[in-house]
Amino acid sequence: MYFRHVMACLDHSPQSRRVLAEAAAIAEVMGAELTVLRVMEAGTQAMRRPVDPVDWDLGRREEEAELGRLVGEIGTLPEIHTEVMSGATADCICRKAHEAGVDLMVLGVGGRDRWTEWGLGSTVRQVAEHAAGSVLIVPETPANDVTRQKSGERVLVPLDSSTWAEAVLPIALRVARSRSAELVLLHAVPDISLTGNSPPDAHDEALRADLRHRNERVAQAYLDRIRALLPADALRTRVRLLSGEDPRRALARAVNEEAASLVVLSARGQGAHPDLPIGSTAEYLISAATVPVLLVRRPEAGSRPSAQAAPWRSRMVRAPV
């Protein structure tokens, strides 16, 4: 599973150059087509006023010229296209991705798209939840830059024993190899909780310890088995078992401790509800992201849009909770 069409979604913030650089690097590694998109967002008040066609065309030309300059800074790739759209940012991104068969969108968090009380900016959250393809989220101020320069790059892959999580390994391995980075496989063992109305006694604590040790032993064997299946010519690989706390918090802490340069994870895992676009662990990690996070959606059979395909907006219908 590799990407065929990458789209960098740029705003006017200084972060745009980093977003474009990340998108270009992925496109080069995957041998993918690259589209650079900018949306001239029309706010609610602006949409109520008539738009002067001449002013709009001049603005579009200025945006196209700026995109051309940004593209010129990243060097040459076989296929680079630029496009300027007008409308609501998330709507335009999802519509363009659907029409062009984009399977990876690269967006930054920051600038005008401020962090919300839920963690992600509104545009990134809408795209991550409603677009059909994978999403690479680039934080405004990546953490661990100094540490990473000293210790080398690391690509982290959280695994939970599901085929969904394991499906991202070919992508992570290819990216890690291109960056001469260490590939670190993570598995967080859920903490053991015992039911009851009274505090656990000595027997309960012994039972909990036995269960925890058993789960850790099985998890370690799983990580070792996955590592053994990686290609023999793979670069440095390492496994790390996490336990003793909530798996989501343990994974987020490991991302910072490892000074990761990229986290690659599946949008869905072992416990994901089929009606939800993003699993709880993936949502927690991307909401707390301090480094770029590549949220991978496994393509379904015939996932590439066709003339008969339902519009992307149909994905925005959520089942009642």
Side-chain angles (χ1 to χ4, degrees):
M1 179 179 68
Y2 297 117
F3 302 122
R4 297 169 294 178
H5 192 168
V6 179
M7 184 167 70
C9 308
L10 308 185
D11 58 14
H12 294 86
S13 69
Q15 186 192 9
S16 290
R17 284 181 167 81
R18 178 174 174 84
V19 171
L20 180 56
E22 293 281 358
I26 294 289
E28 184 175 16
V29 169
M30 301 293 169
E33 179 182 355
L34 176 62
T35 293
V36 183
L37 174 69
R38 173 164 288 169
V39 177
M40 298 171 60
E41 183 160 9
T44 303
Q45 295 299 325
M47 293 178 69
R48 294 174 180 172
R49 299 194 301 268
V51 178
D52 188 303
V54 176
D55 289 344
W56 185 90
D57 187 62
L58 289 175
R60 180 181 60 81
R61 290 176 182 271
E62 290 176 357
E63 299 287 7
E64 289 175 344
E66 184 176 352
L67 289 184
R69 289 192 294 270
L70 290 172
V71 168
E73 295 176 3
I74 65 173
T76 58
L77 285 174
E79 292 186 82
I80 303 181
H81 312 282
T82 61
E83 181 161 346
V84 176
M85 299 179 69
S86 178
T89 302
D91 287 354
C92 288
I93 292 172
C94 292
R95 185 168 69 250
K96 177 62 180 178
H98 174 77
E99 293 171 352
V102 171
D103 45 19
L104 174 62
M105 290 146 283
V106 186
L107 301 94
V109 177
R112 291 183 302 171
D113 192 24
R114 297 293 180 186
W115 296 83
T116 68
E117 59 181 311
W118 297 282
L120 290 179
S122 59
T123 297
V124 176
R125 174 170 288 277
Q126 291 178 57
V127 172
E129 289 186 346
H130 305 311
S134 301
V135 181
L136 174 58
I137 300 169
V138 183
E140 185 175 17
T141 306
N144 304 326
D145 278 349
V146 175
T147 305
R148 187 165 60 246
Q149 291 172 4
K150 294 180 180 179
S151 60
E153 294 204 33
R154 294 187 182 92
V155 175
L156 270 55
V157 182
L159 299 172
D160 66 354
S161 303
S162 69
T163 56
W164 291 94
E166 294 166 13
V168 311
L169 284 170
I171 292 175
L173 187 62
R174 193 161 182 173
V175 172
R177 184 182 287 115
S178 71
R179 301 183 179 190
S180 299
E182 181 182 26
L183 184 66
V184 183
L185 309 180
L186 303 175
H187 183 88
V189 179
D191 198 17
I192 302 297
S193 59
L194 301 177
T195 60
N197 296 325
S198 58
D201 56 23
H203 176 74
D204 294 332
E205 291 295 351
L207 175 61
R208 177 158 51 189
D210 288 342
L211 290 173
R212 183 173 62 250
H213 293 153
R214 180 266 177 196
N215 289 348
E216 290 175 352
R217 183 177 69 255
V218 172
Q220 186 64 54
Y222 165 73
L223 285 175
D224 293 339
R225 179 177 61 83
I226 294 297
R227 184 185 184 187
L229 292 175
L230 296 177
D233 62 343
L235 296 174
R236 293 171 297 142
T237 60
R238 178 163 51 89
V239 299
R240 180 173 174 184
L241 184 65
L242 310 171
S243 63
E245 60 180 316
D246 178 80
R248 297 173 300 176
R249 293 189 177 90
L251 290 169
R253 177 171 50 81
V255 170
N256 289 325
E257 292 176 351
E258 294 286 350
S261 54
L262 177 68
V263 178
V264 184
L265 75 158
S266 172
R268 295 179 59 187
Q270 192 173 53
H273 193 284
D275 289 338
L276 297 179
I278 305 175
S280 60
T281 299
E283 182 173 13
Y284 184 89
L285 290 179
I286 62 176
S287 297
T290 57
V291 301
V293 175
L294 176 53
L295 186 70
V296 179
R297 283 193 172 91
R298 188 166 63 178
E300 315 243 340
S303 61
R304 197 169 183 83
S306 64
Q308 292 77 27
W312 67 267
R313 291 179 185 274
S314 65
R315 293 182 173 269
M316 299 185 72
V317 178
R318 299 284 295 275
V321 177

